[in-house]
Amino acid sequence: MLKEGISYREAGKFEETRFEKIHNVIFESSKEASILVAHEIANLIRRKEELNEPCVLGLATGSSPIKVYEELVRMHKEENLSFKNVVTFNLDEYYPMDKNNIQSYHHFMHEHLFNHVDILPENVNIPNGTVSPEELQQYCIDYEMKIISYGGLDFQLLGIGRTGHIGFNEPGSHINSGTRSITLDHITRVDATPAFLGIDNVPRKAITMGIGTVRNAKRIVLLGWGISKAGILKETIEGEMSSQVPATYLQEHNNTTFVLDTEASSELTRVKTPWLVKSCVWTDELKLKAVVWLSELTGKPILKLTDKDYNDNGMSGLLAEEGTAYNLNIKMFNHLQHTITGWPGGKPNADDTYRPERSNPAKKRVIIFSPHPDDDVISMGGTFDRLVEQGHEVHVAYQTSGNIAVSNEEALKFAEVSSVLNSESNESNNIINFLKNKGKNDIDSIEVRKLKGLIRRSESLAATRYLGVPDSNVHFLNLPFYETGTVKKGNLTEADIQIMCNLIEEVKPHQIYAAGDLADPHGTHKVCLDSLFEALKQLKHHSYMDDCWVWLYRGAWHEWESYQIEMAVPMSPDQVLKKRHAIFFHQSQKDGVMFQGDDSREFWVRAEDRNRATAKKYNDLGLADYAAIEAFKRYCF
């Protein structure tokens, strides 16, 4: 908790370097960081209240500030934090957009904050997405003047888009720009696609505060969470100031802090290559990271790196510690070599000293947790196949129904087939009528959700049968946090965790595989992973958990870095093809799925390209040449 007098510099990981042009602090988790930001805002509100002055806040929407708002609501309810002296101005709103639309930022702010605190309605200012085109320019001027009438913003909360936009100030925005209408960048619209269930539904325009408006705030805090923001955050913090990355204009603001989680900070020089910044304490993990980086930088296999390569690239300290490049190269090469195995469940009756998995027990009980009903085969289909073929007792647990990822057109097709087969079915006819008359803001009925879930369940069973898993070993958990009927999910609860615990207690696994991918564009992977971590905390005192190892795979959006991989499972060309066929059973997710992020490739193409790329990286480092590799990192609990 951020107390009076404690700065972000003390609370998070901060180190000023010659590379960085904006003050930033790094936290282990976005939750911890969000609580600290909320407390800074609360302290400001209370100080202003003591002075009998309004507290003027600039607020942001999107996924980044949600935990900040949750903590502010908690403080209001439990610590008597009052918002009666608070005046808010929101950064932006889609245009055109009715305030009652569930995708509107008006709806977002009331759902996450305003409906739960005592702020006066007349003190809430959100751009009006229903202003007529003829009145829009004057409306923007008036919005700007209203902010000025309060003496400007005391505090501005920001997120950052992958184009480097703050608010909706897209590339090309001027440093002195004010509140105005703007055309949204294609990438911005792609990122909004999950909330609108398709890019065709995402508005092309918006109203936004300008860069100049934001920069006039007395205090600015920008939130950056997740690996998908790492690249643009590096460019913003370390790059040159440019209209092509509007967030770089914050380099000239003298009271700005970027608050980042570990994933979002991963591309910063002080994080990615700390040896270029200062003298390092060379842990084994950092040594491997540095040697892999040097191999990739020079284009040389590890065993061909020379003393000169190390000295010329800021790693003389490492070389001095290790003695010679020759000794260091062999050590790191052997480490990577030992991650490779064709026996992901362990090789029976073999020396497992240098293998990633244990040889005993020869037959292991395995649970593969899959957030959606296709992540198992997309992310680890080859390893899945190996585990079954090598005689392990494999269980697959689909954590969510995945129903929101089934299009209305796909559901209608199945409902119409069902209606033909059973013309007297009221349920089928109700679904058909609902889907044909469904409005943009309508949430799927329970019947429609059930049908969409059944479609994905049937596809999953087809894939697991193809890979040789009996139906009795396939578990559909339907975690409650997911079953809202909308893209926005509920919070993780004890009910979700208990379902996870029950399955683990039932199977008593020797191995658990789970999605460690936090770049999922609608957050389900993270909640599913958190549910596992919480279940492991509750169960770790049981003796059977002493024999349980947890392996994390990455989903469709990102792969482990070479130095992070602790088990690499090669695939033959035949296995690559078998994995592709398993993915094809998930027919509702082919040919233009709803939640594919900014990558237009189908999931099976992405999976194959990624597995080939991992194999190539291993080969480039000087290791064997495989057709494809699936990668895993062990999680110790």
Side-chain angles (χ1 to χ4, degrees):
M1 184 176 294
L2 190 64
K3 299 177 183 177
E4 289 284 359
I6 296 180
S7 68
Y8 283 107
R9 208 178 280 246
E10 295 168 289
K13 187 195 299 181
F14 171 74
E15 182 179 355
E16 190 169 0
T17 76
R18 62 189 171 89
F19 295 95
E20 297 175 8
K21 301 169 184 177
I22 299 178
H23 174 242
N24 64 90
V25 286
I26 303 168
F27 293 86
E28 286 297 317
S29 75
S30 60
K31 182 178 180 180
E32 173 195 7
S34 295
I35 290 172
L36 296 178
V37 173
H39 280 253
E40 179 179 351
I41 295 171
N43 291 339
L44 176 62
I45 292 172
R46 288 176 174 134
R47 284 199 302 272
K48 287 285 191 173
E49 185 179 32
E50 290 173 0
L51 296 170
N52 198 29
E53 294 176 358
C55 181
V56 187
L57 303 179
L59 298 181
T61 50
S63 59
S64 297
I66 287 176
K67 294 293 181 185
V68 174
Y69 298 149
E70 285 182 2
E71 178 64 9
L72 288 171
V73 170
R74 186 199 67 77
M75 285 191 283
H76 168 70
K77 292 180 177 179
E78 299 178 13
E79 299 178 11
N80 298 317
L81 175 66
S82 175
F83 286 75
K84 288 183 178 178
N85 70 316
V86 174
V87 178
T88 65
F89 289 90
N90 259 76
L91 277 166
D92 43 28
E93 178 61 280
Y94 291 108
Y95 183 81
M97 177 62 69
D98 187 276
K99 69 178 183 180
N100 295 317
N101 190 308
I102 60 173
Q103 279 89 32
S104 74
Y105 288 160
H106 184 280
H107 181 272
F108 176 97
M109 289 305 305
H110 284 78
E111 181 180 23
H112 289 287
L113 182 62
F114 298 145
N115 287 345
H116 311 288
V117 298
D118 61 345
I119 192 167
L120 302 176
E122 60 267 28
N123 287 347
V124 171
N125 299 277
I126 303 172
N128 184 351
T130 63
V131 175
S132 70
E134 295 77 20
E135 299 174 315
L136 184 55
Q137 183 176 1
Q138 186 60 49
Y139 174 82
C140 292
I141 293 171
D142 292 343
Y143 197 82
E144 187 80 18
M145 295 307 295
K146 191 170 184 179
I147 295 172
I148 293 171
S149 73
Y150 280 96
L153 303 167
D154 294 311
F155 183 102
Q156 176 64 64
L157 187 65
L158 296 173
I160 186 170
R162 288 189 303 117
T163 63
H165 70 243
I166 48 177
F168 273 137
N169 291 282
E170 298 285 17
S173 295
H174 193 275
I175 189 170
N176 294 322
S177 57
T179 303
R180 69 203 187 284
S181 63
I182 194 165
T183 299
L184 298 177
D185 189 277
H186 176 71
I187 292 176
T188 301
R189 294 182 67 238
V190 166
D191 287 346
T193 296
F196 285 87
L197 300 180
I199 193 167
D200 291 341
N201 300 321
V202 180
R204 296 181 178 274
K205 293 185 177 182
I207 301 170
T208 185
M209 279 189 206
I211 297 288
T213 318
V214 171
R215 289 176 73 251
N216 284 333
K218 299 175 184 70
R219 168 73 167 144
I220 297 173
V221 171
L222 185 146
L223 310 176
W225 315 139
I227 192 72
S228 64
K229 301 293 178 68
I232 196 63
L233 284 165
K234 173 183 170 62
E235 197 171 349
T236 299
I237 293 170
E238 299 185 3
E240 296 301 316
M241 198 166 69
S242 165
S243 65
Q244 293 307 302
V245 184
T248 57
Y249 288 134
L250 298 177
Q251 292 176 5
E252 290 190 343
H253 191 275
N254 61 9
N255 193 16
T256 291
T257 297
F258 280 28
V259 182
L260 315 176
D261 66 5
T262 303
E263 296 271 338
S265 71
S266 60
E267 289 295 320
L268 295 180
T269 301
R270 69 178 165 110
V271 175
K272 188 172 185 177
T273 51
W275 51 88
L276 299 179
V277 175
K278 61 174 183 177
S279 298
C280 294
V281 176
W282 288 102
T283 62
D284 288 343
E285 183 180 0
L286 190 59
K287 289 175 187 177
L288 180 61
K289 182 178 183 179
V291 171
V292 167
W293 173 82
L294 184 60
S295 173
E296 292 173 347
L297 179 71
T298 60
K300 291 182 176 182
I302 288 174
L303 294 177
K304 290 188 176 181
L305 294 173
T306 65
D307 288 1
K308 187 174 187 302
D309 292 325
Y310 285 94
N311 289 329
D312 287 351
N313 291 284
M315 297 165 68
S316 57
L318 174 58
L319 201 59
E321 186 173 313
E322 289 294 320
T324 66
Y326 178 81
N327 292 331
L328 178 59
N329 293 347
I330 289 177
K331 186 188 297 185
M332 296 301 104
F333 178 86
N334 285 340
H335 178 94
L336 288 168
Q337 180 69 47
H338 296 154
T339 65
I340 302 172
T341 180
W343 298 82
K347 187 173 183 178
N349 305 313
D351 181 1
D352 57 14
T353 306
Y354 299 112
R355 291 180 176 274
E357 251 294 354
R358 307 147 291 171
S359 57
N360 291 313
K363 180 178 179 178
K364 292 182 172 65
R365 294 183 298 275
V366 179
I367 300 177
I368 299 173
F369 282 109
S370 180
H372 302 97
D374 56 358
D375 288 310
D376 54 338
V377 288
I378 289 172
S379 299
M380 55 170 292
T383 304
F384 186 158
D385 183 45
R386 283 274 175 86
L387 289 166
V388 174
E389 284 190 346
Q390 291 168 0
H392 301 287
E393 181 188 317
V394 178
H395 294 255
V396 187
Y398 297 107
Q399 291 169 278
T400 71
S401 67
N403 56 42
I404 65 164
V406 178
S407 69
N408 294 327
E409 293 76 18
E410 188 79 6
L412 182 60
K413 178 176 71 177
F414 278 86
E416 288 175 337
V417 170
S418 174
S419 179
V420 170
L421 293 174
N422 183 5
S423 59
E424 297 180 2
S425 170
N426 289 330
E427 188 171 18
S428 296
N429 292 327
N430 289 341
I431 290 171
I432 291 169
N433 290 332
F434 177 89
L435 291 172
K436 285 185 174 180
N437 296 288
K438 184 180 177 183
K440 276 188 177 182
N441 293 325
D442 292 342
I443 296 172
D444 280 345
S445 66
I446 293 175
E447 292 171 313
V448 170
R449 271 186 263 168
K450 179 182 175 183
L451 173 61
K452 289 183 175 182
L454 284 171
I455 291 170
R456 301 216 64 185
R457 177 185 288 238
S458 299
E459 292 172 343
S460 300
L461 286 168
T464 53
R465 289 166 186 163
Y466 173 70
L467 292 173
V469 177
D471 289 359
S472 58
N473 286 10
V474 182
H475 311 270
F476 297 93
L477 305 185
N478 292 329
L479 295 184
F481 84 88
Y482 184 90
E483 299 302 320
T484 63
T486 69
V487 174
K488 183 182 181 298
K489 304 301 171 220
N491 291 324
L492 189 67
T493 67
E494 189 58 38
D496 300 291
I497 297 164
Q498 192 57 53
I499 290 170
M500 296 286 289
C501 288
N502 291 344
L503 180 63
I504 294 171
E505 287 185 296
E506 177 188 338
V507 176
K508 296 181 173 55
H510 302 100
Q511 279 190 328
I512 289 175
Y513 291 85
D517 188 351
L518 305 184
D520 172 13
H522 51 120
T524 301
H525 281 213
K526 184 180 188 310
V527 183
C528 286
L529 188 62
D530 287 344
S531 72
L532 173 62
F533 288 169
E534 289 300 320
L536 294 174
K537 282 181 188 177
Q538 294 187 17
L539 297 174
K540 66 180 182 179
H541 65 279
H542 292 290
S543 59
Y544 66 83
M545 293 303 290
D546 294 338
D547 295 324
C548 181
W549 287 18
V550 177
W551 293 99
L552 301 181
Y553 60 83
R554 282 281 170 97
W557 295 276
H558 198 64
E559 182 56 281
W560 297 114
E561 296 290 345
S562 303
Y563 65 85
Q564 296 175 310
I565 297 171
E566 294 179 87
M567 181 162 68
V569 181
M571 290 188 289
S572 68
D574 286 345
Q575 278 192 310
V576 171
L577 191 59
K578 190 172 183 181
K579 173 175 176 173
R580 183 193 302 177
H581 288 157
I583 296 172
F584 281 0
F585 282 104
H586 295 273
Q587 191 64 41
S588 70
Q589 302 304 294
K590 286 186 86 274
D591 306 322
V593 299
M594 276 193 241
F595 303 117
Q596 60 186 33
D598 64 336
D599 192 331
S600 61
R601 295 173 299 166
E602 290 193 44
F603 285 132
W604 70 270
V605 178
R606 282 195 238 183
E608 290 187 14
D609 288 349
R610 188 185 67 180
N611 296 157
R612 275 195 294 267
T614 304
K616 185 178 185 303
K617 283 184 178 180
Y618 263 65
N619 185 233
D620 290 345
L621 292 169
L623 296 147
D625 188 8
Y626 295 103
I629 287 178
E630 291 178 338
F632 304 86
K633 181 175 174 61
R634 190 176 169 198
Y635 172 74
C636 297
F637 58 95

